[in-house]
Amino acid sequence: MRRLSPTDVAFLLLERRHQPLHVGALCLLSPPNGEPPGFAARLAEKFQRSEHVSSPFDRRPLTRLGVFYWEDDPHFDLAHHFVHLALPQPGRVRELLAMVSRVHSAHLDRAYPLWRVYLVEGLEDGRIAVYMKIHHSVVDGVSGIRLLMKSMSDDIRASADMAPTWEIGSGERPQPVLSKAIRGIDQLRAMSASVPHVMRELQQTYRDARAHHPDLVTSLCAPRCILNQRITASRRFAAQSYSTERMRAVAKAFEGTLNDVVMAMCAGALRRYLIDLNALPDKPLIAGVPVSLHRDREHAQPGNAVTFMLATLATDIEDPIDRFCTIKASMDYNKARFQTMSQNELLVYALGMLTPGFLNMRGNWERMPINVVISHVPGPRTPMHWQGARLDGLYPVSLVMDGIALNITLVSRHDFVDFGLIACRRTLPSMQRLLDHLEESLVELEEAVA
């Protein structure tokens, strides 16, 4: 048995009937050229003969005396985890996204390892899809994408002979209890040693706040917004790809990064969406931006290693150039502060930054310290294949919680940035319009550059 980290435990404890806390990914794939009909059926038959499973796909949560552990499932049943289905006619991407919305709303059974894979056929253009969901207590965004990439290759022939994700696993080797205990003690010592530096950083933040530093965002800055409400159990998922070349051209013109363009696109889209609903706050929306703490992203192990930075979306600014510059300055301020701190210091610093906002809530979801989560996960840098099929899209399917009714997560690949938007269906009406607004926001930035 392996003990869960405090962060991993939190995702199990925070789960509610209306609030499943798993994350997922939707892969859109084109079968090999000349492949005869029945490609998906042959893959399903191949996978159903699988007899091997690796960590973390073989473990389920267990509690003893209030302590959470991972336990190897002695009765692993692949039929519970692998599902083969077909879309209803006419098999458009619209039907695929509707299916993912429904399936993503359902909880994972804790009596089994917390994951499931769906192989989907019936798309009208002949493509297939793979949707995988796994509990956030098992992986975060970076480690989840790494697990998925282990079953893909940039060589089409090599990919056809690769084992499925659950057979490959993470390559994680169980550590002796004594070694883990020693590592835990070392982490506690490191956390304690980081307190003086973190206190100095928090004091500097307090001085910047008193001086009204234009680029500082605190957890008391987020305005009240319809994005911050209690949610229901229903979900709406929307996905779209945008050209990396277009976005990098904008970034270069503004001397920014690809992530700055992502933030500006989201800001412009949210501004348009809220104006349409007559619900745009006078103050700028605040985004919570996850920051990965994995030292080696290419070989990230399961589990959560993430902290948050707070950034303005400048949604109160009409001019797209001024809005972009304001967002970039806020992100640069955060980066400069974060670069001076170690991983342990970043965790403590983020806790210190967010605590005033959570204390200010007093049970009122409209007083959340952030309005929306925007997460950027690095993806493959070359064209990839899965079982001989070309990867056309890799769309993350994240989670929403009470108080955060919208999550925008994206994966940047070699030629496209794949956006995945998940929201509470009832709280945010017609959320899929944000996809059109993202394109409009990118065009607006391109025209500003011109």
Side-chain angles (χ1 to χ4, degrees):
M1 292 192 299
R2 295 174 289 279
R3 190 168 177 175
L4 276 73
S5 73
T7 306
D8 299 342
V9 171
F11 283 108
L12 291 172
L13 294 178
L14 290 173
E15 197 163 47
R16 297 291 184 270
R17 188 179 187 88
H18 67 289
Q19 187 172 280
L21 296 185
H22 50 255
V23 292
L26 173 65
C27 300
L28 204 55
L29 301 140
S30 292
N33 292 330
E35 185 72 24
F39 178 65
R42 289 190 293 275
L43 284 181
E45 184 179 357
K46 170 185 174 181
F47 293 154
Q48 287 161 355
R49 294 195 300 266
S50 173
E51 297 180 351
H52 178 67
V53 63
S54 298
S55 175
F57 298 101
D58 60 348
R59 61 195 192 189
R60 62 185 182 183
L62 171 73
T63 55
R64 287 187 178 177
L65 301 177
V67 179
F68 281 84
Y69 297 90
W70 290 121
E71 174 192 47
D72 292 342
D73 185 358
H75 308 292
F76 180 81
D77 181 11
L78 180 61
H80 175 79
H81 299 279
F82 174 70
V83 182
H84 176 211
L85 52 80
L87 288 178
Q89 293 298 319
R92 298 166 297 183
V93 172
R94 177 184 301 177
E95 279 75 40
L96 176 63
L97 298 181
M99 183 276 292
V100 172
S101 300
R102 290 192 300 271
V103 174
H104 199 70
S105 302
H107 281 261
L108 290 164
D109 189 342
R110 295 191 185 185
Y112 299 86
L114 300 178
W115 62 274
R116 213 167 223 190
V117 172
Y118 295 79
L119 175 61
V120 185
E121 62 176 317
L123 280 159
E124 61 180 353
D125 57 7
R127 290 187 293 180
I128 65 171
V130 173
Y131 162 69
M132 176 180 178
K133 66 178 180 179
I134 185 168
H135 203 276
H136 212 320
S137 62
V138 183
V139 297
D140 59 17
V142 170
S143 58
I145 292 296
R146 292 305 129 214
L147 277 178
L148 195 57
M149 289 296 101
K150 284 177 179 287
S151 64
M152 298 186 186
S153 173
D154 55 4
D155 186 318
I156 184 171
R157 293 183 178 179
S159 72
D161 298 323
M162 295 182 70
T165 303
W166 60 84
E167 289 191 10
I168 300 172
S170 64
E172 178 186 25
R173 295 181 179 178
Q175 293 182 323
V177 175
L178 181 59
S179 298
K180 295 193 73 174
I182 293 173
R183 189 178 67 175
I185 293 172
D186 290 341
Q187 288 178 338
L188 287 174
R189 288 175 176 171
M191 295 281 277
S192 300
S194 68
V195 170
H197 185 199
V198 172
M199 290 303 298
R200 289 194 295 272
E201 291 294 331
L202 289 173
Q203 289 170 356
Q204 180 60 50
T205 300
Y206 177 70
R207 287 193 291 269
D208 287 347
R210 291 195 62 182
H212 302 289
H213 194 295
D215 303 326
L216 170 66
V217 175
T218 72
S219 58
L220 300 175
C221 291
R224 296 193 177 194
C225 180
I226 64 168
L227 300 176
N228 306 113
Q229 300 182 54
R230 186 180 294 275
I231 62 172
T232 68
S234 62
R235 299 289 178 268
R236 172 65 66 84
F237 175 62
Q240 184 66 52
S241 298
Y242 301 90
S243 166
T244 303
E245 183 179 359
R246 292 175 62 193
M247 295 172 66
R248 289 198 183 280
V250 172
K252 182 178 180 180
F254 284 111
E255 298 183 351
T257 65
L258 180 66
N259 202 50
D260 292 332
V261 178
V262 166
M263 297 291 287
M265 286 175 62
C266 293
L270 286 168
R271 176 182 165 85
R272 284 178 165 84
Y273 176 75
L274 294 174
I275 287 176
D276 290 344
L277 298 177
N278 195 28
L280 179 66
D282 294 332
K283 295 173 61 179
L285 296 180
I286 303 302
V289 183
V291 178
S292 175
L293 298 180
H294 288 286
R295 293 175 179 173
D296 184 357
R297 291 188 176 185
E298 292 300 319
H299 302 91
Q301 292 296 316
N304 287 273
V306 66
T307 187
F308 273 83
M309 67 169 60
L310 304 178
T312 182
L313 292 178
T315 48
D316 58 326
I317 299 176
E318 182 177 359
D319 183 77
I321 298 179
D322 291 345
R323 191 187 315 130
F324 184 99
C325 293
T326 301
I327 293 170
K328 180 181 181 300
S330 177
M331 294 294 289
D332 288 346
Y333 174 89
N334 280 301
K335 292 173 188 175
R337 300 293 299 276
F338 275 43
Q339 287 173 356
T340 66
M341 289 179 271
S342 67
Q343 290 179 317
N344 289 321
E345 289 169 346
L346 285 172
L347 287 171
V348 179
Y349 177 79
L351 180 62
M353 285 289 291
L354 290 170
T355 296
F358 285 120
L359 293 176
N360 182 60
M361 285 178 60
R362 295 191 293 273
N364 187 341
W365 298 116
E366 293 183 356
R367 293 180 175 177
M368 284 290 291
I370 61 174
N371 298 114
V372 62
V373 173
I374 302 176
S375 180
H376 183 178
V377 181
R381 290 292 176 259
T382 57
M384 301 297 287
H385 298 83
W386 178 83
Q387 299 296 316
R390 185 185 71 240
L391 178 67
D392 293 337
L394 177 56
Y395 305 102
V397 193
S398 195
L399 55 85
V400 293
M401 305 172 64
D402 280 332
I404 305 177
L406 172 66
N407 183 302
I408 302 175
T409 303
L410 53 126
V411 172
S412 54
R413 297 186 289 126
H414 61 291
D415 52 357
F416 286 99
V417 179
D418 300 330
F419 280 73
L421 285 65
I422 190 81
C424 171
R425 188 183 192 96
R426 177 174 294 180
T427 304
L428 299 181
S430 304
M431 179 275 293
Q432 65 275 16
R433 292 179 185 172
L434 281 169
L435 297 179
D436 295 331
H437 295 327
L438 283 168
E439 172 65 24
E440 292 164 1
S441 184
L442 178 57
V443 170
E444 182 181 55
L445 290 168
E446 290 173 325
E447 291 175 348
V449 168

